Amino acid sequence: MADLSIDFAGIKSPNPFWLASAPPTNTGYQVQRAFEAGWGGAVWKTLGEPVINTSARFAAVHFGGQRVAGFNNIELITDRPLEVNLKEIYETKRRFPHHTIIASLMVEPKREKWHEIVKRVEAIGVDGLELNFGCPHGMAERGMGAASGQQPDLVQAQTAWVKEVATTPVIVKLTPNITDITVVARHAVKGGADAISLINTINSLAGVDIHSWNTIPNVGGQGAHGGYCGPAVKPIALSMVAECARDREVGVPISGIGGISTWQDVVEFMLMGSTGIQVCTAVMHHGFRIVEEMIDGLNHYLDEKGLASVTELIGKSVPKYSNWGDLDLNYQVVARINEENCINCNKCHIACEDASHQCIDMLTNAEGKAILQVREEDCVGCNLCSIVCPADRAIDMIALDNGAAPMSWNQRSRIISGVNGAYSEAEAG
Amino acid sequence: MSAFAEFDRERQEIDNLIGLGYTIAGIYEDLDGARVTFIRSEPAGGPVELLLLTADARKHVTTLLVGRTRQTAAEIHR
């Protein structure tokens, strides 16, 4: 069995599986049950000014037979008094001294407010702080959450205020509701952040009831934008993690969040630069015990790969994530249909005819059987046919050696301007 | 005509000129495609221009240029 323990910006954790700050980390009862189930850490549901929540507050997007493909909420930070939360954090830490407890914090962008909450929370023995600059709804209307997180200077200033008094590592949680995540990440680091976590939820409206014409969810017939999460947001989260991981000016550990439901998701986030991960929606859907499968799966995977520690995964795929302009334009793949696995549904033919390059022919073979065949010279290797194909191993994408040396768009642009410059000089001369 | 056949025709035109001793002297790209200027010093003649319409031909012509640049760089280092 591999070593699953991590050191996240100085915070030790028995494994990389943390619960994200959210409804599952609302009370000591929940966090203690989670630790008993196997979670290595928990980010306690955001502490801050007393707030009141609405009823209803959650909605889900079910898609193609999968329940909770996406999840949406208009819930705010904790509505329990700070003293009650602190007492329960203290008790939980005492019972589970080797598990990680991070306090998520959100207050008004005022220096003294941050100082006060940091001192009170650290006094009861948390392992670290996570500054919530992400929630897009409710608190943002009061100048907190994403309202702060969308202003890089405010992120930097508030992080610096926290660092003035904090004695534990400070994680800054970023909002994805921004054009370039690295800008805010860099400002968090300039403010002194020891780590970042991302992503928080994405602005969303889960749906509209076409019979009542109410939004989903609705509060007495009225709706508001909420935060989107769950499996549907994973690609967005993964790309933002990757952007931060490869940015040299960011350069701090990353806690990956966003649609993580399986051990495979965990591996992907760690390969793309996360030192640890946080999970919420999958727990809300399936309960704390999903961590058992995650731990088993990760252990087997690491053993299969011959890795002694989960930390050996961190960032291994980051060098493979670059810019479009650096991709090799001469690399070529083509689709190849395996007759023995093809069920002749013709979905690849239709997709190719209507949406791609019309290179899959419907033919009849020597035995009179209908077959589909790719004209490889016309195939641009877009992958569409293999994506729409419902049969396993019926279409392979094969890499071809076309004899052309690698050439990227950036190289191409440089060489064209070079040759044009030389020609212009020759004409002038 | 298939996309490959269109590209193949343009590639042959490019390769023919290169085979005749022409070199690529300029590439100007606009909404209509790429206008590629070829020149030849021996025997001297006026420039020849090809309008390349296919993406693969535009790729081919710049791949030739990249190859030539790499070859020149390798010769200099030798």
Side-chain angles (χ1 to χ4, degrees), chain A residues 98-131:
Chain A
H98 303 299
H99 285 66
T100 310
I101 299 182
I102 307 293
S104 171
L105 307 177
M106 185 196 284
V107 292
E108 292 172 67
K110 289 180 181 164
R111 191 179 186 191
E112 63 278 14
K113 290 268 187 188
W114 280 107
H115 283 189
E116 182 194 348
I117 198 164
V118 168
K119 286 174 185 169
R120 289 182 69 182
V121 166
E122 287 197 331
I124 48 100
V126 294
D127 298 295
L129 309 170
E130 185 181 80
L131 315 187

CSV table of all heavy atoms in Angstrom, one decimal, chain A residues 98-131:
chain,number,residue,atom,x,y,z
A,98,HIS,N,-5.1,14.0,14.5
A,98,HIS,CA,-4.2,13.8,13.4
A,98,HIS,C,-5.0,14.1,12.1
A,98,HIS,O,-4.4,14.0,11.0
A,98,HIS,CB,-3.6,12.4,13.3
A,98,HIS,CG,-2.8,12.1,14.6
A,98,HIS,ND1,-1.7,12.8,14.9
A,98,HIS,CD2,-3.0,11.2,15.6
A,98,HIS,CE1,-1.3,12.4,16.1
A,98,HIS,NE2,-2.0,11.4,16.5
A,99,HIS,N,-6.2,14.4,12.2
A,99,HIS,CA,-7.0,14.8,11.0
A,99,HIS,C,-6.9,16.3,10.8
A,99,HIS,O,-6.6,17.0,11.8
A,99,HIS,CB,-8.4,14.4,11.1
A,99,HIS,CG,-8.6,12.9,10.9
A,99,HIS,ND1,-8.1,12.0,11.8
A,99,HIS,CD2,-9.2,12.2,9.9
A,99,HIS,CE1,-8.4,10.8,11.3
A,99,HIS,NE2,-9.1,10.9,10.2
A,100,THR,N,-7.1,16.8,9.6
A,100,THR,CA,-7.0,18.2,9.3
A,100,THR,C,-8.3,18.9,9.4
A,100,THR,O,-9.3,18.5,8.8
A,100,THR,CB,-6.4,18.3,7.8
A,100,THR,OG1,-5.3,17.4,7.7
A,100,THR,CG2,-6.0,19.7,7.5
A,101,ILE,N,-8.3,20.0,10.1
A,101,ILE,CA,-9.5,20.9,10.1
A,101,ILE,C,-9.0,22.3,9.7
A,101,ILE,O,-8.1,22.9,10.3
A,101,ILE,CB,-10.1,21.0,11.5
A,101,ILE,CG1,-10.6,19.5,11.9
A,101,ILE,CG2,-11.3,21.9,11.5
A,101,ILE,CD1,-11.3,19.5,13.3
A,102,ILE,N,-9.6,22.7,8.6
A,102,ILE,CA,-9.4,24.1,8.1
A,102,ILE,C,-10.6,24.9,8.4
A,102,ILE,O,-11.7,24.4,8.1
A,102,ILE,CB,-9.1,24.1,6.6
A,102,ILE,CG1,-8.0,23.0,6.2
A,102,ILE,CG2,-8.8,25.4,6.1
A,102,ILE,CD1,-6.6,23.4,6.7
A,103,ALA,N,-10.5,26.1,8.8
A,103,ALA,CA,-11.6,27.0,9.0
A,103,ALA,C,-11.8,27.9,7.8
A,103,ALA,O,-10.9,28.6,7.5
A,103,ALA,CB,-11.4,27.8,10.3
A,104,SER,N,-13.0,27.8,7.2
A,104,SER,CA,-13.3,28.7,6.1
A,104,SER,C,-13.8,30.0,6.7
A,104,SER,O,-14.7,29.9,7.6
A,104,SER,CB,-14.3,28.1,5.1
A,104,SER,OG,-14.7,29.0,4.2
A,105,LEU,N,-13.4,31.1,6.2
A,105,LEU,CA,-13.7,32.4,6.8
A,105,LEU,C,-14.3,33.4,5.8
A,105,LEU,O,-13.8,33.4,4.6
A,105,LEU,CB,-12.5,33.0,7.5
A,105,LEU,CG,-11.7,32.2,8.5
A,105,LEU,CD1,-10.5,33.0,9.0
A,105,LEU,CD2,-12.6,31.8,9.7
A,106,MET,N,-15.2,34.2,6.2
A,106,MET,CA,-15.7,35.2,5.3
A,106,MET,C,-16.2,36.4,6.1
A,106,MET,O,-17.1,36.1,6.9
A,106,MET,CB,-16.8,34.7,4.3
A,106,MET,CG,-17.2,35.8,3.3
A,106,MET,SD,-18.8,35.3,2.5
A,106,MET,CE,-18.3,34.1,1.4
A,107,VAL,N,-15.6,37.5,6.0
A,107,VAL,CA,-16.2,38.7,6.7
A,107,VAL,C,-16.1,39.9,5.7
A,107,VAL,O,-15.6,39.8,4.6
A,107,VAL,CB,-15.4,39.0,8.0
A,107,VAL,CG1,-15.7,38.0,9.0
A,107,VAL,CG2,-13.9,39.2,7.7
A,108,GLU,N,-16.6,41.0,6.2
A,108,GLU,CA,-16.5,42.2,5.3
A,108,GLU,C,-15.1,42.6,5.1
A,108,GLU,O,-14.2,42.2,5.9
A,108,GLU,CB,-17.1,43.4,6.1
A,108,GLU,CG,-18.6,43.3,6.3
A,108,GLU,CD,-19.0,44.4,7.2
A,108,GLU,OE1,-19.0,45.6,6.8
A,108,GLU,OE2,-19.4,44.2,8.4
A,109,PRO,N,-14.8,43.2,3.9
A,109,PRO,CA,-13.4,43.6,3.6
A,109,PRO,C,-12.9,44.7,4.5
A,109,PRO,O,-12.7,45.9,4.1
A,109,PRO,CB,-13.4,44.0,2.2
A,109,PRO,CG,-14.9,44.2,1.8
A,109,PRO,CD,-15.7,43.5,2.8
A,110,LYS,N,-12.8,44.4,5.8
A,110,LYS,CA,-12.3,45.4,6.8
A,110,LYS,C,-11.2,44.7,7.6
A,110,LYS,O,-11.4,43.6,8.1
A,110,LYS,CB,-13.5,45.9,7.7
A,110,LYS,CG,-14.5,46.8,7.1
A,110,LYS,CD,-15.6,47.2,8.0
A,110,LYS,CE,-16.6,48.1,7.3
A,110,LYS,NZ,-17.8,48.2,8.0
A,111,ARG,N,-10.1,45.4,7.8
A,111,ARG,CA,-9.0,44.8,8.4
A,111,ARG,C,-9.3,44.3,9.8
A,111,ARG,O,-8.9,43.1,10.2
A,111,ARG,CB,-7.9,45.9,8.5
A,111,ARG,CG,-6.5,45.4,8.9
A,111,ARG,CD,-5.6,46.6,8.9
A,111,ARG,NE,-4.2,46.2,9.1
A,111,ARG,CZ,-3.3,47.0,9.4
A,111,ARG,NH1,-3.5,48.3,9.4
A,111,ARG,NH2,-2.0,46.6,9.6
A,112,GLU,N,-10.0,45.1,10.7
A,112,GLU,CA,-10.2,44.7,12.0
A,112,GLU,C,-11.1,43.5,12.1
A,112,GLU,O,-11.0,42.6,13.0
A,112,GLU,CB,-10.7,45.9,12.9
A,112,GLU,CG,-12.1,46.4,12.5
A,112,GLU,CD,-12.0,47.4,11.4
A,112,GLU,OE1,-11.0,47.5,10.6
A,112,GLU,OE2,-13.0,48.1,11.1
A,113,LYS,N,-12.0,43.4,11.2
A,113,LYS,CA,-13.0,42.2,11.1
A,113,LYS,C,-12.2,40.9,10.9
A,113,LYS,O,-12.4,39.9,11.5
A,113,LYS,CB,-14.0,42.4,10.0
A,113,LYS,CG,-15.0,43.5,10.3
A,113,LYS,CD,-16.2,42.9,11.0
A,113,LYS,CE,-17.3,43.9,11.2
A,113,LYS,NZ,-18.4,43.4,12.0
A,114,TRP,N,-11.2,41.0,9.9
A,114,TRP,CA,-10.4,39.8,9.6
A,114,TRP,C,-9.5,39.5,10.8
A,114,TRP,O,-9.4,38.3,11.2
A,114,TRP,CB,-9.5,40.1,8.4
A,114,TRP,CG,-10.3,39.9,7.1
A,114,TRP,CD1,-10.7,40.9,6.2
A,114,TRP,CD2,-10.7,38.7,6.5
A,114,TRP,NE1,-11.4,40.4,5.2
A,114,TRP,CE2,-11.4,39.0,5.3
A,114,TRP,CE3,-10.7,37.3,6.9
A,114,TRP,CZ2,-12.0,38.0,4.5
A,114,TRP,CZ3,-11.2,36.4,6.1
A,114,TRP,CH2,-11.9,36.7,4.9
A,115,HIS,N,-8.9,40.5,11.4
A,115,HIS,CA,-8.1,40.2,12.6
A,115,HIS,C,-8.8,39.5,13.7
A,115,HIS,O,-8.4,38.5,14.3
A,115,HIS,CB,-7.5,41.5,13.1
A,115,HIS,CG,-6.3,42.0,12.2
A,115,HIS,ND1,-5.5,43.1,12.6
A,115,HIS,CD2,-5.9,41.6,11.0
A,115,HIS,CE1,-4.6,43.3,11.7
A,115,HIS,NE2,-4.8,42.4,10.7
A,116,GLU,N,-10.0,40.0,13.9
A,116,GLU,CA,-10.8,39.4,15.0
A,116,GLU,C,-11.2,38.0,14.8
A,116,GLU,O,-10.9,37.1,15.6
A,116,GLU,CB,-12.1,40.2,15.2
A,116,GLU,CG,-13.0,39.7,16.3
A,116,GLU,CD,-14.4,40.3,16.3
A,116,GLU,OE1,-14.7,41.2,15.5
A,116,GLU,OE2,-15.2,39.7,17.0
A,117,ILE,N,-11.6,37.7,13.6
A,117,ILE,CA,-12.1,36.3,13.3
A,117,ILE,C,-10.9,35.3,13.3
A,117,ILE,O,-10.9,34.2,13.8
A,117,ILE,CB,-13.0,36.2,12.1
A,117,ILE,CG1,-13.7,34.8,12.1
A,117,ILE,CG2,-12.2,36.3,10.8
A,117,ILE,CD1,-14.9,34.7,11.2
A,118,VAL,N,-9.8,35.8,12.7
A,118,VAL,CA,-8.6,34.9,12.6
A,118,VAL,C,-8.1,34.6,14.0
A,118,VAL,O,-7.8,33.4,14.3
A,118,VAL,CB,-7.5,35.6,11.8
A,118,VAL,CG1,-6.1,34.9,12.0
A,118,VAL,CG2,-7.9,35.7,10.3
A,119,LYS,N,-8.0,35.5,14.9
A,119,LYS,CA,-7.5,35.3,16.2
A,119,LYS,C,-8.5,34.3,17.0
A,119,LYS,O,-8.0,33.4,17.7
A,119,LYS,CB,-7.4,36.6,17.0
A,119,LYS,CG,-6.2,37.5,16.6
A,119,LYS,CD,-6.3,38.8,17.3
A,119,LYS,CE,-5.2,39.7,16.7
A,119,LYS,NZ,-5.3,41.1,17.2
A,120,ARG,N,-9.8,34.5,16.9
A,120,ARG,CA,-10.7,33.7,17.6
A,120,ARG,C,-10.7,32.2,17.1
A,120,ARG,O,-10.8,31.3,17.8
A,120,ARG,CB,-12.1,34.2,17.5
A,120,ARG,CG,-12.3,35.5,18.3
A,120,ARG,CD,-13.7,36.1,18.3
A,120,ARG,NE,-14.6,35.3,19.0
A,120,ARG,CZ,-15.9,35.5,19.1
A,120,ARG,NH1,-16.4,36.6,18.5
A,120,ARG,NH2,-16.7,34.8,19.7
A,121,VAL,N,-10.5,32.1,15.8
A,121,VAL,CA,-10.5,30.7,15.2
A,121,VAL,C,-9.2,30.0,15.5
A,121,VAL,O,-9.2,28.8,15.8
A,121,VAL,CB,-10.8,30.8,13.7
A,121,VAL,CG1,-10.5,29.5,13.0
A,121,VAL,CG2,-12.2,31.2,13.4
A,122,GLU,N,-8.1,30.7,15.4
A,122,GLU,CA,-6.8,30.0,15.6
A,122,GLU,C,-6.7,29.7,17.1
A,122,GLU,O,-6.0,28.7,17.4
A,122,GLU,CB,-5.7,30.9,15.1
A,122,GLU,CG,-5.6,31.0,13.6
A,122,GLU,CD,-4.2,31.5,13.1
A,122,GLU,OE1,-3.6,32.3,13.8
A,122,GLU,OE2,-3.8,31.1,12.0
A,123,ALA,N,-7.3,30.4,18.0
A,123,ALA,CA,-7.2,30.1,19.4
A,123,ALA,C,-7.7,28.7,19.8
A,123,ALA,O,-7.3,28.2,20.8
A,123,ALA,CB,-8.0,31.2,20.2
A,124,ILE,N,-8.6,28.2,18.9
A,124,ILE,CA,-9.2,26.9,19.3
A,124,ILE,C,-8.5,25.7,18.5
A,124,ILE,O,-8.8,24.6,18.7
A,124,ILE,CB,-10.7,26.8,19.1
A,124,ILE,CG1,-11.1,27.3,17.7
A,124,ILE,CG2,-11.4,27.6,20.2
A,124,ILE,CD1,-11.4,26.3,16.7
A,125,GLY,N,-7.4,26.1,17.8
A,125,GLY,CA,-6.5,25.0,17.3
A,125,GLY,C,-6.8,24.4,15.9
A,125,GLY,O,-6.7,23.2,15.7
A,126,VAL,N,-7.2,25.3,15.0
A,126,VAL,CA,-7.4,24.8,13.6
A,126,VAL,C,-6.0,24.6,12.9
A,126,VAL,O,-5.0,25.2,13.4
A,126,VAL,CB,-8.2,25.7,12.7
A,126,VAL,CG1,-9.7,25.8,13.2
A,126,VAL,CG2,-7.6,27.1,12.6
A,127,ASP,N,-6.0,23.8,11.9
A,127,ASP,CA,-4.7,23.6,11.2
A,127,ASP,C,-4.4,24.6,10.1
A,127,ASP,O,-3.2,24.7,9.6
A,127,ASP,CB,-4.7,22.2,10.5
A,127,ASP,CG,-4.9,21.1,11.6
A,127,ASP,OD1,-4.0,20.9,12.4
A,127,ASP,OD2,-6.0,20.4,11.6
A,128,GLY,N,-5.4,25.3,9.7
A,128,GLY,CA,-5.2,26.3,8.7
A,128,GLY,C,-6.5,27.1,8.4
A,128,GLY,O,-7.5,26.8,9.0
A,129,LEU,N,-6.3,28.1,7.6
A,129,LEU,CA,-7.5,29.0,7.3
A,129,LEU,C,-7.7,29.0,5.8
A,129,LEU,O,-6.8,28.9,5.0
A,129,LEU,CB,-7.2,30.4,7.7
A,129,LEU,CG,-6.7,30.6,9.2
A,129,LEU,CD1,-6.2,32.1,9.4
A,129,LEU,CD2,-7.8,30.3,10.2
A,130,GLU,N,-9.0,29.0,5.4
A,130,GLU,CA,-9.3,29.2,4.0
A,130,GLU,C,-10.2,30.4,3.9
A,130,GLU,O,-11.3,30.5,4.4
A,130,GLU,CB,-10.0,28.0,3.4
A,130,GLU,CG,-10.3,28.1,1.9
A,130,GLU,CD,-11.0,26.8,1.4
A,130,GLU,OE1,-12.2,26.8,1.5
A,130,GLU,OE2,-10.3,26.0,0.8
A,131,LEU,N,-9.7,31.4,3.1
A,131,LEU,CA,-10.5,32.6,2.9
A,131,LEU,C,-11.4,32.5,1.7
A,131,LEU,O,-11.0,32.2,0.6
A,131,LEU,CB,-9.5,33.8,2.7
A,131,LEU,CG,-8.3,33.9,3.6
A,131,LEU,CD1,-7.5,35.2,3.3
A,131,LEU,CD2,-8.6,33.7,5.0
